[in-house]
Amino acid sequence: MPPVHRLLHITLDTTWIDPATGRKVKREKHCETRKEAERALADMVAAQAKGLLTDPSRLTTRDFALEYLKRLEREGLRPNSIRLAREELAHALPSLKDPKAHDPLGRMRLQEVKPVHVRATVDRVAEAGYAPRTVNRVLMRLKALFREALRLELVARNPAEAVRLRLPKGEKTARALEPHEVARLLEAAEASRSKDMALLLRLMLETGLRRGEALALQWRDIDLEAGELAVWRSWTKARGKGVFSEPKTPTAKRKVPLPRGLLLRLKARREELLERLTPEEVDGLFLVGGVKPVDPDAFNKYLRRLAERAGLGRVRVHDLRHTWATLALSRGVPLEVVSERLGHASPTITLNVYRHLLEEERRGWVLDLEELLYPATRAQA
């Protein structure tokens, strides 16, 4: 008869209490040899001492993601940020949108997820044809999700941290229009039916406002005498509905000076409205939409049609803001001023985005000591 191998059983007491029974949860393992049992016990004791032996849980990745998203809402995250978080996670966990969808990662127990599973999920998103930047955002969101699980000691490590992506070099996140392209876009806007949409487009190109900030503007937010407007809220879309939200950063609440040409156009438009409304009624109107701001998607569609009509190809809303910043920096406007006008949290953020442009500008600043010390000699030469 073949020899019979008796399995050795080891048990480790833990500090967790099962809420259903009130008893301690024990971690158990079966081993084939005493040496293997001793090694396993030593590993478990060491892991417990380091706080890496997590409480056994049947919580799935999908269920934890739902809790994570609800927590973001309770913490007061901006509606648009919550919408982006939900969309990015749904690329990796399709069952967040459709509970019946094929979702290998979402149906796994949270504690069973390994880097190879995250890698496979990210690869699947990439193979679906999404842009590299979107794929990277999905990975960043998974890292944040498991980082939260790690803080709550639901997992022993973050399986997404080991995954690395190599984005194609030179990928651009936004397009800066050339001056002649801006002119063509504005000409097409002037020829369009909507005066208010055309005015809003010009305002965004001349101030660098975010779409939500511009759409939330009412006439009472514009001081035509002082020549400035006040940004204090944003109009965004969350779960299919438009909502007001706080600006993206504390510094996003700001006063923005208006260029003379834009100021004259705003004054002329207000005079037109005063022909049929009282000043109080006009103050309560939004620049676009009247008594209620226009749907954020409506401006996107307007810009897309306008760009096609002007022969500019694809122009995104964020390209307008990027264009303003690029033109301002290329004409020598100080970085701190550009950062303040954009409502960035700090000039460092502006520098990180536009570093390449500033480096090109700096090449032209060369100190010639010969010209400084001997100007007459240089002039004769």
Side-chain angles (χ1 to χ4, degrees), residues 144-210:
L145 178 71
F146 283 101
R147 200 175 297 128
E148 175 72 2
L150 187 61
R151 281 194 289 264
L152 297 175
E153 297 185 2
L154 291 172
V155 295
R157 64 169 181 168
N158 186 336
E161 289 293 350
V163 180
R164 296 288 182 268
L165 286 180
R166 291 184 179 179
L167 292 176
K169 292 183 179 180
E171 185 192 11
K172 296 182 180 179
T173 58
R175 168 188 177 186
L177 299 177
E178 296 293 334
H180 71 275
E181 293 179 315
V182 173
R184 284 161 57 187
L185 189 63
L186 290 175
E187 288 172 5
E190 291 299 324
S192 66
R193 294 180 180 179
S194 175
K195 291 183 179 180
D196 290 340
M197 283 287 201
L199 185 59
L200 187 72
L201 171 67
R202 183 178 288 274
L203 184 144
M204 292 174 69
L205 278 168
E206 295 203 51
T207 61
L209 262 60
R210 299 177 176 91

Side-chain angles (χ1 to χ4, degrees), residues 92-141:
L93 310 171
S95 60
L96 289 177
K97 281 190 175 181
D98 179 8
K100 297 181 180 180
H102 179 64
D103 188 358
L105 184 64
R107 283 168 172 65
M108 287 186 68
R109 284 178 52 223
L110 188 70
Q111 295 173 345
E112 291 180 341
V113 178
K114 297 179 180 179
V116 66
H117 301 128
V118 177
R119 176 82 251 186
T121 299
V122 172
D123 288 344
R124 190 188 71 244
V125 175
E127 290 166 1
Y130 289 100
R133 184 168 178 266
T134 300
V135 178
N136 187 57
R137 291 295 304 169
V138 170
L139 177 58
M140 293 300 103
R141 188 62 62 179

Side-chain angles (χ1 to χ4, degrees), residues 43-57:
D43 290 343
M44 291 166 70
V45 170
Q48 185 181 29
K50 294 178 181 178
L52 299 178
L53 198 61
T54 55
D55 182 6
S57 171

